[in-house]
Each structure stands twice: as C-alpha cells, then as structure tokens.
Coordinates of all heavy atoms in Angstrom, one line a residue:
M1 N -15.1 -8.7 36.2 CA -13.9 -9.5 35.8 C -12.8 -8.5 35.4 O -13.1 -7.5 34.6 CB -14.2 -10.5 34.7 CG -13.2 -11.4 34.4 SD -13.5 -12.6 33.1 CE -14.8 -13.6 33.8
T2 N -11.6 -8.6 35.8 CA -10.5 -7.7 35.4 C -10.1 -8.1 34.0 O -10.4 -9.1 33.4 CB -9.3 -7.9 36.3 OG1 -8.7 -9.2 36.1 CG2 -9.7 -7.7 37.8
A3 N -9.3 -7.1 33.4 CA -8.8 -7.4 32.0 C -7.9 -8.6 32.0 O -8.0 -9.4 31.1 CB -8.0 -6.2 31.5
E4 N -7.1 -8.8 33.0 CA -6.3 -10.0 33.1 C -7.1 -11.3 33.2 O -6.8 -12.3 32.5 CB -5.3 -10.0 34.3 CG -4.4 -11.2 34.3 CD -3.4 -11.1 35.5 OE1 -3.2 -10.1 36.1 OE2 -2.8 -12.2 35.7
Q5 N -8.2 -11.3 34.0 CA -9.1 -12.4 34.1 C -9.8 -12.7 32.7 O -9.9 -13.9 32.3 CB -10.1 -12.2 35.2 CG -9.5 -12.3 36.6 CD -10.4 -11.8 37.6 OE1 -11.3 -10.9 37.4 NE2 -10.3 -12.4 38.8
T6 N -10.2 -11.6 32.1 CA -10.9 -11.8 30.8 C -9.9 -12.4 29.7 O -10.2 -13.3 29.0 CB -11.4 -10.4 30.3 OG1 -12.3 -9.9 31.2 CG2 -12.1 -10.5 28.9
F7 N -8.7 -11.9 29.7 CA -7.6 -12.4 28.8 C -7.4 -13.9 29.1 O -7.4 -14.7 28.2 CB -6.4 -11.6 28.9 CG -5.3 -12.1 28.0 CD1 -5.3 -11.9 26.6 CD2 -4.3 -12.9 28.5 CE1 -4.3 -12.4 25.8 CE2 -3.3 -13.4 27.7 CZ -3.3 -13.2 26.3
R8 N -7.2 -14.2 30.3 CA -6.9 -15.6 30.7 C -8.1 -16.6 30.3 O -7.9 -17.6 29.8 CB -6.6 -15.7 32.1 CG -5.2 -15.2 32.5 CD -5.0 -15.3 34.0 NE -3.7 -14.7 34.4 CZ -2.6 -15.4 34.4 NH1 -2.5 -16.6 34.0 NH2 -1.5 -14.7 34.8
S9 N -9.3 -16.1 30.5 CA -10.5 -16.9 30.2 C -10.7 -17.1 28.7 O -11.1 -18.1 28.2 CB -11.7 -16.4 30.8 OG -12.2 -15.2 30.2
K10 N -10.3 -16.1 27.9 CA -10.5 -16.2 26.4 C -9.3 -16.7 25.6 O -9.5 -17.3 24.6 CB -10.9 -14.8 25.9 CG -12.3 -14.3 26.3 CD -12.7 -13.1 25.7 CE -14.1 -12.7 26.1 NZ -14.7 -11.6 25.3
S11 N -8.1 -16.4 26.1 CA -7.0 -16.7 25.2 C -6.7 -18.2 25.0 O -6.4 -18.6 23.9 CB -5.7 -16.0 25.8 OG -5.4 -16.5 27.1
S12 N -6.9 -19.0 26.0 CA -6.6 -20.4 25.8 C -7.7 -21.0 24.8 O -7.3 -21.9 24.0 CB -6.6 -21.2 27.1 OG -7.9 -21.1 27.8
D13 N -8.9 -20.6 24.9 CA -9.9 -21.1 23.9 C -9.6 -20.6 22.5 O -9.7 -21.3 21.5 CB -11.3 -20.7 24.3 CG -11.8 -21.4 25.5 OD1 -11.3 -22.5 25.9 OD2 -12.8 -20.9 26.2
L14 N -9.2 -19.3 22.4 CA -8.8 -18.7 21.2 C -7.7 -19.5 20.5 O -7.7 -19.8 19.3 CB -8.5 -17.3 21.3 CG -7.9 -16.5 20.1 CD1 -8.8 -16.6 18.9 CD2 -7.5 -15.1 20.5
I15 N -6.6 -19.8 21.3 CA -5.4 -20.5 20.8 C -5.8 -21.9 20.3 O -5.4 -22.3 19.2 CB -4.3 -20.5 21.9 CG1 -3.8 -19.1 22.1 CG2 -3.2 -21.5 21.4 CD1 -3.0 -19.0 23.4
A16 N -6.6 -22.6 21.1 CA -7.1 -23.9 20.6 C -7.9 -23.9 19.4 O -7.7 -24.7 18.5 CB -7.9 -24.6 21.8
K17 N -8.8 -22.9 19.3 CA -9.6 -22.7 18.0 C -8.7 -22.4 16.8 O -8.9 -23.0 15.8 CB -10.6 -21.7 18.3 CG -11.6 -21.5 17.1 CD -12.9 -20.8 17.6 CE -13.9 -20.7 16.5 NZ -14.2 -21.9 15.7
L18 N -7.8 -21.5 17.0 CA -6.8 -21.1 15.9 C -6.1 -22.3 15.4 O -6.0 -22.6 14.2 CB -5.9 -20.1 16.4 CG -6.4 -18.6 16.5 CD1 -5.4 -17.8 17.3 CD2 -6.7 -18.0 15.1
M19 N -5.6 -23.1 16.4 CA -4.8 -24.3 16.0 C -5.7 -25.4 15.3 O -5.2 -26.2 14.5 CB -4.1 -24.9 17.2 CG -3.0 -24.0 17.7 SD -2.1 -24.5 19.2 CE -1.4 -26.1 18.5
G20 N -7.0 -25.4 15.7 CA -7.9 -26.4 15.0 C -8.3 -25.9 13.7 O -8.6 -26.7 12.8
D21 N -8.4 -24.6 13.5 CA -8.9 -24.0 12.2 C -7.8 -23.7 11.2 O -8.1 -23.6 10.0 CB -9.7 -22.7 12.4 CG -11.0 -23.0 13.2 OD1 -11.5 -24.2 13.2 OD2 -11.6 -22.0 13.7
F22 N -6.5 -23.6 11.6 CA -5.5 -23.2 10.7 C -4.2 -24.1 11.0 O -4.0 -24.5 12.1 CB -5.0 -21.8 10.9 CG -6.2 -20.8 10.7 CD1 -6.9 -20.3 11.7 CD2 -6.5 -20.4 9.4 CE1 -8.0 -19.4 11.5 CE2 -7.5 -19.5 9.2 CZ -8.3 -19.0 10.2
P23 N -3.4 -24.3 10.0 CA -2.2 -25.2 10.2 C -1.1 -24.4 10.9 O -0.1 -24.0 10.2 CB -1.9 -25.6 8.8 CG -2.3 -24.5 7.9 CD -3.6 -24.0 8.6
I24 N -1.2 -24.0 12.1 CA -0.2 -23.2 12.8 C 0.3 -24.0 14.1 O -0.4 -24.9 14.6 CB -0.8 -21.9 13.2 CG1 -1.9 -22.0 14.2 CG2 -1.2 -21.0 12.0 CD1 -2.4 -20.7 14.9
V25 N 1.5 -23.6 14.5 CA 2.0 -24.1 15.8 C 1.5 -23.3 16.9 O 1.0 -22.2 16.8 CB 3.6 -24.1 15.7 CG1 4.1 -25.0 14.6 CG2 4.1 -22.7 15.5
A26 N 1.7 -23.8 18.1 CA 1.1 -23.2 19.3 C 1.7 -21.8 19.5 O 1.0 -20.8 19.8 CB 1.5 -24.0 20.5
E27 N 3.0 -21.6 19.2 CA 3.6 -20.2 19.3 C 2.9 -19.2 18.5 O 2.7 -18.0 18.9 CB 5.1 -20.3 19.0 CG 5.9 -21.0 20.0 CD 5.9 -22.5 19.8 OE1 5.3 -23.0 18.9 OE2 6.5 -23.2 20.7
A28 N 2.4 -19.6 17.3 CA 1.7 -18.6 16.4 C 0.4 -18.3 17.1 O -0.1 -17.1 17.0 CB 1.5 -19.2 15.0
G29 N -0.3 -19.3 17.6 CA -1.6 -19.0 18.3 C -1.3 -18.1 19.5 O -2.1 -17.2 19.8
F30 N -0.2 -18.3 20.2 CA 0.1 -17.4 21.4 C 0.3 -16.0 20.9 O -0.1 -15.0 21.5 CB 1.4 -17.9 22.1 CG 1.3 -19.3 22.7 CD1 2.5 -20.0 22.9 CD2 0.1 -19.9 23.1 CE1 2.5 -21.3 23.4 CE2 0.1 -21.1 23.6 CZ 1.3 -21.8 23.8
A31 N 1.0 -15.8 19.8 CA 1.3 -14.5 19.2 C -0.1 -13.8 18.8 O -0.2 -12.6 19.1 CB 2.2 -14.6 18.0
V32 N -1.0 -14.5 18.2 CA -2.2 -13.9 17.8 C -3.0 -13.5 19.0 O -3.5 -12.3 19.1 CB -3.1 -14.9 16.9 CG1 -4.5 -14.3 16.7 CG2 -2.4 -15.1 15.6
A33 N -3.1 -14.4 20.0 CA -3.9 -14.1 21.2 C -3.2 -12.9 22.0 O -3.9 -12.0 22.5 CB -4.0 -15.3 22.1
G34 N -1.9 -12.9 22.0 CA -1.2 -11.9 22.8 C -1.3 -10.5 22.1 O -1.6 -9.5 22.8
N35 N -1.3 -10.5 20.7 CA -1.5 -9.2 20.0 C -2.9 -8.7 20.2 O -3.0 -7.5 20.6 CB -1.1 -9.4 18.6 CG -1.3 -8.1 17.8 OD1 -2.3 -7.9 17.2 ND2 -0.3 -7.3 17.9
G36 N -3.9 -9.6 20.0 CA -5.2 -9.1 20.2 C -5.5 -8.7 21.7 O -6.1 -7.7 21.9
G37 N -5.0 -9.4 22.6 CA -5.1 -9.1 24.0 C -4.5 -7.7 24.3 O -5.0 -7.0 25.1
C38 N -3.3 -7.5 23.8 CA -2.6 -6.2 24.0 C -3.4 -5.1 23.4 O -3.6 -4.0 24.0 CB -1.2 -6.3 23.4 SG -0.2 -4.8 23.7
E39 N -3.9 -5.2 22.2 CA -4.6 -4.2 21.5 C -5.9 -3.8 22.2 O -6.3 -2.7 22.2 CB -4.9 -4.6 20.1 CG -3.8 -4.7 19.1 CD -3.3 -3.4 18.6 OE1 -4.0 -2.4 18.7 OE2 -2.1 -3.4 18.1
S40 N -6.5 -4.8 22.8 CA -7.9 -4.6 23.4 C -8.0 -4.7 24.9 O -9.0 -5.0 25.5 CB -8.9 -5.5 22.8 OG -8.5 -6.8 23.1
N41 N -6.8 -4.4 25.6 CA -6.8 -4.5 27.0 C -7.4 -5.9 27.5 O -8.3 -5.9 28.3 CB -7.6 -3.3 27.6 CG -7.5 -3.2 29.1 OD1 -6.4 -3.5 29.6 ND2 -8.5 -2.7 29.8
G42 N -6.7 -6.9 27.0 CA -7.1 -8.2 27.5 C -8.5 -8.7 26.9 O -9.2 -9.4 27.6
F43 N -8.8 -8.2 25.8 CA -10.1 -8.5 25.1 C -11.3 -7.9 25.9 O -12.4 -8.3 25.7 CB -10.4 -10.0 25.0 CG -9.4 -10.7 24.2 CD1 -8.6 -11.7 24.8 CD2 -9.1 -10.4 22.9 CE1 -7.6 -12.4 24.1 CE2 -8.1 -11.1 22.1 CZ -7.4 -12.1 22.8
S44 N -11.0 -6.8 26.7 CA -12.1 -6.3 27.5 C -12.5 -4.8 27.1 O -13.5 -4.3 27.5 CB -11.7 -6.3 29.0 OG -10.6 -5.5 29.2
T45 N -11.7 -4.2 26.3 CA -11.9 -2.8 25.8 C -12.0 -2.8 24.3 O -10.9 -2.8 23.7 CB -10.9 -1.8 26.3 OG1 -10.8 -2.0 27.8 CG2 -11.3 -0.4 25.9
L46 N -13.2 -2.9 23.7 CA -13.2 -3.0 22.3 C -13.1 -1.7 21.5 O -12.7 -1.6 20.4 CB -14.5 -3.8 21.9 CG -14.6 -5.2 22.4 CD1 -15.9 -5.8 22.0 CD2 -13.4 -6.0 21.9
Q47 N -13.5 -0.6 22.2 CA -13.5 0.7 21.6 C -12.2 1.4 22.0 O -11.9 1.5 23.2 CB -14.7 1.6 22.0 CG -14.6 3.0 21.5 CD -14.5 3.2 20.0 OE1 -15.4 2.7 19.3 NE2 -13.6 4.0 19.5
E48 N -11.4 1.9 21.1 CA -10.1 2.6 21.4 C -10.5 3.8 22.4 O -11.4 4.5 22.1 CB -9.5 3.2 20.1 CG -8.2 3.8 20.3 CD -7.5 4.2 19.0 OE1 -8.1 4.1 18.0 OE2 -6.4 4.8 19.1
I49 N -9.7 3.9 23.4 CA -10.0 4.8 24.5 C -9.7 6.3 24.0 O -10.4 7.2 24.3 CB -9.2 4.5 25.8 CG1 -9.8 3.1 26.3 CG2 -9.4 5.6 26.8 CD1 -9.0 2.5 27.4
K50 N -8.5 6.4 23.4 CA -8.1 7.8 23.0 C -7.6 7.7 21.6 O -6.4 7.4 21.4 CB -7.0 8.3 24.0 CG -6.6 9.7 23.7 CD -5.6 10.2 24.7 CE -5.2 11.6 24.4 NZ -4.1 12.1 25.4
P51 N -8.5 7.8 20.6 CA -8.1 7.7 19.2 C -6.9 8.6 18.9 O -6.8 9.7 19.3 CB -9.3 8.1 18.4 CG -10.4 7.8 19.4 CD -9.9 8.1 20.7
V52 N -6.0 8.0 18.1 CA -4.8 8.7 17.6 C -5.2 9.9 16.7 O -4.6 11.0 16.7 CB -3.8 7.8 17.0 CG1 -2.6 8.5 16.4 CG2 -3.3 6.7 17.9
V53 N -6.2 9.6 15.8 CA -6.6 10.7 14.9 C -7.8 11.4 15.5 O -8.9 10.9 15.8 CB -7.1 10.0 13.6 CG1 -7.6 11.1 12.6 CG2 -6.0 9.2 12.9
P54 N -7.5 12.7 15.9 CA -8.6 13.5 16.5 C -9.9 13.6 15.7 O -9.8 13.7 14.5 CB -8.0 14.9 16.6 CG -6.5 14.7 16.6 CD -6.3 13.5 15.7
G55 N -11.0 13.4 16.3 CA -12.3 13.4 15.7 C -12.7 12.1 15.0 O -13.8 12.0 14.5
S56 N -11.8 11.1 15.0 CA -12.1 9.8 14.4 C -12.9 9.0 15.4 O -12.9 9.2 16.6 CB -10.9 9.1 13.8 OG -10.1 8.6 14.9
R57 N -13.4 7.8 14.9 CA -14.1 6.9 15.8 C -13.0 6.0 16.5 O -13.3 5.3 17.4 CB -15.1 6.0 15.0 CG -16.2 6.8 14.5 CD -17.3 6.0 13.9 NE -16.8 5.1 12.9 CZ -17.4 3.9 12.6 NH1 -18.4 3.5 13.2 NH2 -16.9 3.2 11.6
G58 N -11.8 6.0 16.0 CA -10.8 5.2 16.6 C -10.9 3.7 16.2 O -11.7 3.4 15.4
G59 N -10.1 2.9 16.9 CA -10.1 1.5 16.6 C -11.2 0.8 17.3 O -11.8 1.2 18.3
W60 N -11.6 -0.4 16.8 CA -12.6 -1.2 17.4 C -12.3 -2.7 17.3 O -11.7 -3.1 16.3 CB -14.0 -1.0 16.6 CG -15.0 -1.9 17.1 CD1 -15.4 -3.1 16.6 CD2 -15.8 -1.7 18.3 NE1 -16.3 -3.7 17.4 CE2 -16.6 -2.9 18.5 CE3 -15.9 -0.7 19.2 CZ2 -17.5 -3.0 19.5 CZ3 -16.8 -0.9 20.3 CH2 -17.6 -2.0 20.4
G61 N -12.6 -3.4 18.3 CA -12.5 -4.9 18.2 C -11.2 -5.4 18.9 O -10.5 -4.6 19.4
W62 N -11.0 -6.7 18.8 CA -9.9 -7.3 19.4 C -8.6 -6.7 18.9 O -7.6 -6.5 19.6 CB -9.8 -8.8 19.1 CG -10.8 -9.6 19.8 CD1 -11.7 -9.3 20.8 CD2 -11.0 -11.0 19.6 NE1 -12.4 -10.4 21.2 CE2 -12.0 -11.5 20.5 CE3 -10.4 -12.0 18.7 CZ2 -12.4 -12.8 20.6 CZ3 -10.9 -13.2 18.8 CH2 -11.8 -13.7 19.7
F63 N -8.6 -6.3 17.6 CA -7.4 -5.8 16.9 C -7.5 -4.3 16.6 O -6.6 -3.8 15.9 CB -7.0 -6.6 15.7 CG -6.6 -8.0 16.1 CD1 -7.6 -9.0 16.0 CD2 -5.4 -8.3 16.5 CE1 -7.3 -10.3 16.4 CE2 -5.0 -9.7 16.9 CZ -6.0 -10.7 16.8
Q64 N -8.4 -3.6 17.2 CA -8.6 -2.2 17.1 C -8.5 -1.7 15.7 O -7.7 -0.9 15.2 CB -7.5 -1.5 17.9 CG -7.6 -1.8 19.4 CD -8.9 -1.1 20.1 OE1 -9.0 0.0 20.2 NE2 -9.8 -2.0 20.4
W65 N -9.4 -2.3 14.8 CA -9.5 -1.9 13.4 C -9.8 -0.5 13.3 O -10.7 0.0 13.9 CB -10.5 -2.8 12.7 CG -10.3 -4.3 12.9 CD1 -11.2 -5.1 13.6 CD2 -9.3 -5.1 12.4 NE1 -10.6 -6.4 13.5 CE2 -9.5 -6.4 12.8 CE3 -8.1 -4.8 11.6 CZ2 -8.6 -7.4 12.5 CZ3 -7.3 -5.8 11.3 CH2 -7.5 -7.1 11.7
T66 N -9.1 0.2 12.4 CA -9.4 1.7 12.2 C -9.7 1.9 10.7 O -9.3 1.1 9.8 CB -8.2 2.5 12.6 OG1 -7.0 2.1 11.8 CG2 -7.9 2.4 14.1
G67 N -10.3 3.1 10.5 CA -10.5 3.5 9.1 C -11.2 2.5 8.2 O -12.2 2.0 8.6
P68 N -10.6 2.2 7.0 CA -11.3 1.3 6.1 C -11.4 -0.1 6.7 O -12.3 -0.8 6.3 CB -10.4 1.4 4.9 CG -9.2 2.1 5.2 CD -9.5 2.9 6.5
R69 N -10.5 -0.5 7.5 CA -10.5 -1.9 8.1 C -11.7 -1.9 9.1 O -12.4 -2.9 9.1 CB -9.2 -2.3 8.7 CG -8.1 -2.5 7.7 CD -6.8 -2.8 8.3 NE -6.4 -1.7 9.1 CZ -5.3 -1.7 9.9 NH1 -4.5 -2.7 9.9 NH2 -5.0 -0.6 10.6
R70 N -11.9 -0.9 9.8 CA -13.1 -0.9 10.7 C -14.4 -0.9 10.0 O -15.3 -1.6 10.3 CB -13.0 0.4 11.6 CG -14.2 0.5 12.6 CD -14.2 1.6 13.6 NE -15.3 1.6 14.4 CZ -15.4 2.2 15.6 NH1 -14.4 2.7 16.1 NH2 -16.6 2.2 16.2
R71 N -14.5 -0.1 8.9 CA -15.7 -0.1 8.1 C -15.9 -1.4 7.5 O -17.1 -1.9 7.4 CB -15.6 1.1 7.1 CG -15.7 2.5 7.7 CD -15.8 3.5 6.7 NE -14.7 3.7 5.8 CZ -13.6 4.4 6.1 NH1 -13.5 5.0 7.3 NH2 -12.6 4.5 5.2
A72 N -14.9 -2.1 7.0 CA -15.0 -3.4 6.4 C -15.5 -4.4 7.4 O -16.3 -5.3 7.2 CB -13.7 -3.9 5.8
F73 N -14.9 -4.4 8.7 CA -15.3 -5.2 9.7 C -16.8 -5.0 10.0 O -17.6 -6.0 10.2 CB -14.5 -5.0 11.0 CG -14.9 -5.7 12.2 CD1 -14.9 -7.1 12.3 CD2 -15.5 -5.0 13.3 CE1 -15.3 -7.8 13.5 CE2 -15.9 -5.7 14.4 CZ -15.8 -7.0 14.5
E74 N -17.2 -3.8 10.2 CA -18.6 -3.5 10.5 C -19.5 -3.9 9.4 O -20.6 -4.5 9.7 CB -18.8 -2.0 10.8 CG -18.1 -1.5 12.1 CD -18.0 0.0 12.2 OE1 -18.0 0.7 11.2 OE2 -17.9 0.4 13.4
A75 N -19.1 -3.8 8.1 CA -20.0 -4.2 7.0 C -20.1 -5.8 7.0 O -21.1 -6.3 6.8 CB -19.4 -3.7 5.7
Y76 N -19.0 -6.4 7.3 CA -19.0 -7.9 7.4 C -19.9 -8.3 8.5 O -20.7 -9.3 8.3 CB -17.6 -8.4 7.8 CG -17.5 -9.8 8.2 CD1 -17.5 -10.8 7.2 CD2 -17.5 -10.3 9.5 CE1 -17.5 -12.2 7.5 CE2 -17.5 -11.6 9.8 CZ -17.5 -12.6 8.9 OH -17.4 -13.9 9.2
C77 N -19.9 -7.7 9.7 CA -20.8 -8.0 10.8 C -22.3 -7.8 10.3 O -23.1 -8.6 10.6 CB -20.5 -7.2 12.0 SG -18.9 -7.7 12.8
K78 N -22.5 -6.7 9.7 CA -23.9 -6.4 9.3 C -24.4 -7.5 8.2 O -25.5 -8.0 8.3 CB -24.0 -5.0 8.6 CG -25.4 -4.6 8.3 CD -25.4 -3.2 7.9 CE -26.8 -2.7 7.6 NZ -27.0 -1.3 7.3
R79 N -23.5 -7.8 7.3 CA -23.9 -8.8 6.2 C -24.2 -10.2 6.9 O -25.0 -10.9 6.4 CB -22.8 -9.0 5.2 CG -22.7 -8.0 4.1 CD -21.7 -8.5 3.0 NE -20.5 -9.0 3.5 CZ -19.4 -8.3 3.8 NH1 -19.4 -7.0 3.7 NH2 -18.3 -8.9 4.1
N80 N -23.5 -10.5 7.9 CA -23.6 -11.8 8.6 C -24.4 -11.8 9.8 O -24.4 -12.8 10.6 CB -22.2 -12.4 8.8 CG -21.5 -12.7 7.5 OD1 -21.8 -13.7 6.9 ND2 -20.6 -11.8 7.0
N81 N -25.1 -10.7 10.1 CA -25.9 -10.5 11.3 C -25.2 -10.9 12.6 O -25.6 -11.7 13.4 CB -27.2 -11.4 11.1 CG -28.3 -11.0 12.1 OD1 -28.4 -9.8 12.5 ND2 -29.1 -11.9 12.5
L82 N -24.0 -10.3 12.7 CA -23.1 -10.6 13.9 C -23.0 -9.3 14.7 O -22.9 -8.2 14.2 CB -21.7 -11.0 13.5 CG -21.6 -12.3 12.7 CD1 -20.2 -12.5 12.2 CD2 -22.0 -13.5 13.7
D83 N -23.0 -9.4 16.0 CA -22.7 -8.3 16.9 C -21.2 -8.0 16.9 O -20.4 -8.9 17.2 CB -23.2 -8.7 18.3 CG -22.8 -7.6 19.4 OD1 -22.3 -6.6 19.1 OD2 -23.2 -7.9 20.5
P84 N -20.8 -6.8 16.5 CA -19.4 -6.4 16.4 C -18.7 -6.6 17.7 O -17.4 -6.7 17.7 CB -19.4 -5.0 15.9 CG -20.7 -4.7 15.4 CD -21.7 -5.7 16.0
A85 N -19.4 -6.6 18.8 CA -18.7 -6.8 20.1 C -18.6 -8.3 20.5 O -18.0 -8.6 21.5 CB -19.5 -6.1 21.2
S86 N -19.1 -9.2 19.7 CA -19.1 -10.6 20.1 C -17.7 -11.2 19.7 O -17.0 -10.8 18.8 CB -20.2 -11.3 19.3 OG -19.9 -11.5 18.0
D87 N -17.4 -12.2 20.5 CA -16.2 -13.0 20.2 C -16.4 -13.7 18.9 O -15.4 -13.8 18.1 CB -16.0 -14.1 21.3 CG -15.6 -13.5 22.7 OD1 -15.3 -12.4 22.7 OD2 -15.8 -14.3 23.7
Q88 N -17.6 -14.1 18.5 CA -17.8 -14.8 17.2 C -17.4 -13.9 16.1 O -16.7 -14.3 15.2 CB -19.2 -15.2 17.1 CG -19.5 -15.9 15.8 CD -21.0 -16.2 15.6 OE1 -21.9 -15.8 16.4 NE2 -21.3 -17.0 14.6
A89 N -17.8 -12.6 16.1 CA -17.5 -11.7 15.0 C -16.0 -11.4 15.0 O -15.5 -11.4 13.9 CB -18.3 -10.4 15.2
N90 N -15.4 -11.1 16.1 CA -14.0 -10.8 16.2 C -13.2 -12.0 15.7 O -12.2 -11.8 15.0 CB -13.6 -10.4 17.6 CG -13.9 -8.9 17.8 OD1 -13.1 -8.0 17.5 ND2 -15.1 -8.6 18.3
Y91 N -13.5 -13.2 16.0 CA -12.8 -14.4 15.6 C -13.0 -14.6 14.1 O -12.0 -14.8 13.3 CB -13.2 -15.6 16.3 CG -12.3 -16.8 15.9 CD1 -11.1 -17.0 16.4 CD2 -12.8 -17.7 14.9 CE1 -10.3 -18.1 15.9 CE2 -12.1 -18.8 14.4 CZ -10.8 -18.9 15.0 OH -10.0 -20.0 14.5
A92 N -14.2 -14.5 13.6 CA -14.5 -14.8 12.2 C -13.8 -13.8 11.3 O -13.4 -14.1 10.2 CB -16.0 -14.7 12.0
W93 N -13.8 -12.5 11.7 CA -13.2 -11.5 10.9 C -11.7 -11.7 10.8 O -11.0 -11.6 9.8 CB -13.5 -10.1 11.4 CG -12.9 -9.0 10.6 CD1 -11.9 -8.2 11.0 CD2 -13.1 -8.6 9.2 NE1 -11.6 -7.3 10.0 CE2 -12.3 -7.6 8.9 CE3 -14.0 -9.1 8.2 CZ2 -12.3 -7.0 7.7 CZ3 -14.0 -8.5 7.0 CH2 -13.2 -7.4 6.7

C-alpha cells in the first residue's frame, strides 16, 4: 500500500474517532489527521528517516515524538502493554 493509500484508509476513521471522543468540529479533526499524516508520511513511516539531531534516535510515531516526548510515549506504551507502532497506541497517546 502506498503512503497516500495508507493515509486515505486511516484518516477518515481517525477523524470520526476524534469527533466522537472530543468536542471538536470536523475541521479540527482534519487538521489533526493532516498534521499526523504529514509528519509520518501518511501514517506509513513511524521512525524518522533522517533525524535532525545527529546520533539521536529521531522522531517516532504519527507525530514523530522526539527526546523526552518520545521517551514518555514509549513509557506509556510499556505501562499499558501497547505496541508503539500500533494505531491504538498512537491514538491513545
């Protein structure tokens, strides 16, 4: 599946879930999905390809969490027995 196909298949479900879980308008859901999709190559590349900080692990996940935010995300996943690559973990965080 291409990055565009992955984005199209995940973004509409993500937007609907966001609107059901939070008091937001559709445009806000579109913004969240668009930002996450842009950061992660259409939700298909979870590990940052070329980290900005040399020698670092770079960003991870839909929103390319780095540094302390990445460590917090990974700790959250470990505490909750979630796969950091899963849609469930990325949405929950």
Side-chain angles (χ1 to χ4, degrees):
M1 190 178 295
T2 68
E4 181 179 348
Q5 290 169 325
T6 300
F7 178 77
R8 287 179 184 273
S9 73
K10 290 187 179 192
S11 61
S12 59
D13 289 340
L14 172 59
I15 293 163
K17 187 160 178 53
L18 286 165
M19 291 179 64
D21 290 344
F22 301 97
I24 62 170
V25 295
E27 290 81 3
F30 299 153
V32 171
N35 180 261
C38 183
E39 291 282 341
S40 62
N41 189 32
F43 303 117
S44 65
T45 306
L46 299 178
Q47 174 61 53
E48 185 176 2
I49 295 169
K50 187 175 178 185
V52 175
V53 178
S56 75
R57 295 189 304 153
W60 177 264
W62 287 354
F63 295 95
Q64 297 293 289
W65 305 113
T66 58
R69 292 178 297 178
R70 179 177 176 154
R71 290 188 295 276
F73 172 70
E74 291 169 337
Y76 170 82
C77 291
K78 187 173 184 176
R79 277 192 317 273
N80 291 282
N81 197 31
L82 296 171
D83 175 357
S86 71
D87 291 345
Q88 180 186 8
N90 277 272
Y91 181 82
W93 178 247

